[in-house]
Amino acid sequence: MVIRILPNADALADAAADEIAQRLSPASGGRDVGLAGGSTPQAAYRRLAERPLPWSEVHAWMTDERHVPIDHPESNAGMAGRALFDHVPATLHTVPWHEAAMEAAAAFERHLASILPLGPAGIEPWLVVLGVGEDGHTASLFPGSPALDAVDRDFVAADVPGRGWRLTATTGLLSRARHTVFIVAGAHKAEILTTVLSDECDLPAARVAREARDPLWLVDGEAARLL
Ligand code: 6PG
């Protein structure tokens, strides 16, 4: 595990764009990326749009989605489109809309199987980019969510108390990613970051990080102040 502490949110966004671009460069051999939703990564995605990558060969997907149409303000794919995919010729694979969230998740799971590389243990994303919530969730794997138990699935839906239906990559799928980058910023994340990085933590973000093959943590000084 590597932790890079950047002096501020701007430097963090630049570093995140650089690290993602490096893993999608022609020399890297990888062309797929699962992206986090939320607000932290937006600055990095905007900077990534300016990086000279083979964008027409890049296939992107959201590691989680709210159960809303893509034109809804809460849509993660909508956010990523405005920040990045409206500006580069990459393909953003979006969760198909179904009234039933579980049907949408199952349909997207089948779609991921058709676009992501297949390894010995199942589909193997090249790169996933994740955030961490103040409760220790990552993607839409929330503490106590039944999605955490779906170890034989790649992408599922769960009704999250207080947040509605969420669709998410599972710990199984995330653990098979070749590269994992976490992006965490802000003083409000200092406590949870310290908790998640502690050895005995079993919160979802800690589980995903522990099972990751080479987790890279990109954090700003405010989030790192208790480390
Ligand atoms: C989402 C995200 C979620 C996010 C964390 C952190 O759908 O909200 O995918 O997992 O990464 O909630 O969000 P912030 O970066 O906005 O704090």
Side-chain angles (χ1 to χ4, degrees):
M1 174 174 73
V2 172
I3 301 174
R4 280 186 63 191
I5 301 175
L6 288 308
N8 54 52
D10 274 350
L12 173 60
D14 279 330
D18 289 343
E19 293 285 356
I20 296 167
Q22 180 192 335
R23 287 164 178 75
L24 294 176
S25 67
S28 74
R31 290 292 179 273
D32 64 84
V33 55
L35 294 172
S39 57
T40 302
Q42 291 183 38
Y45 296 163
R46 284 194 292 272
R47 284 162 170 78
L48 196 53
E50 298 155 16
R51 295 298 195 277
L53 288 173
W55 284 114
S56 59
E57 299 168 24
V58 172
H59 289 267
W61 53 286
M62 301 312 291
T63 57
D64 71 312
E65 190 53 282
R66 294 81 183 274
H67 186 225
V68 295
I70 192 167
D71 58 356
H72 188 284
E74 286 292 304
S75 166
N76 281 332
M79 173 278 288
R82 289 186 295 275
L84 175 55
F85 297 100
D86 292 351
H87 312 290
V88 297
T91 303
L92 175 61
H93 298 266
T94 57
V95 177
W97 173 255
H98 288 268
E99 285 300 329
M102 287 186 167
E103 278 185 40
F108 194 55
E109 183 179 51
R110 290 190 296 272
H111 183 71
L112 288 176
S114 73
I115 63 165
L116 295 180
L118 181 62
I123 51 177
E124 284 185 2
W126 173 252
L127 169 62
V128 293
V129 179
L130 297 169
V132 177
E134 292 183 69
D135 60 356
H137 79 264
T138 191
S140 279
L141 296 164
F142 288 83
S145 170
L148 291 165
D149 302 323
V151 292
D152 60 338
R153 296 284 303 279
D154 290 324
F155 204 85
V156 296
D159 188 4
V160 180
R163 294 176 186 258
W165 279 90
R166 289 291 192 96
L167 298 90
T168 186
T170 61
T171 56
L173 176 59
L174 294 174
S175 69
R176 294 195 298 273
R178 180 61 191 81
H179 300 287
T180 304
V181 178
F182 288 92
I183 305 175
V184 185
H188 64 301
K189 296 288 179 76
E191 195 168 331
I192 192 60
L193 181 62
T194 303
T195 303
V196 163
L197 290 177
S198 63
D199 290 341
E200 65 281 358
C201 180
D202 198 37
L203 288 169
R207 274 182 57 182
V208 169
R210 195 163 39 246
E211 294 169 7
R213 288 163 66 165
D214 74 336
L216 168 63
W217 289 86
L218 298 176
V219 302
D220 72 354
E222 287 189 344
R225 65 186 168 83
L226 301 177
L227 292 182

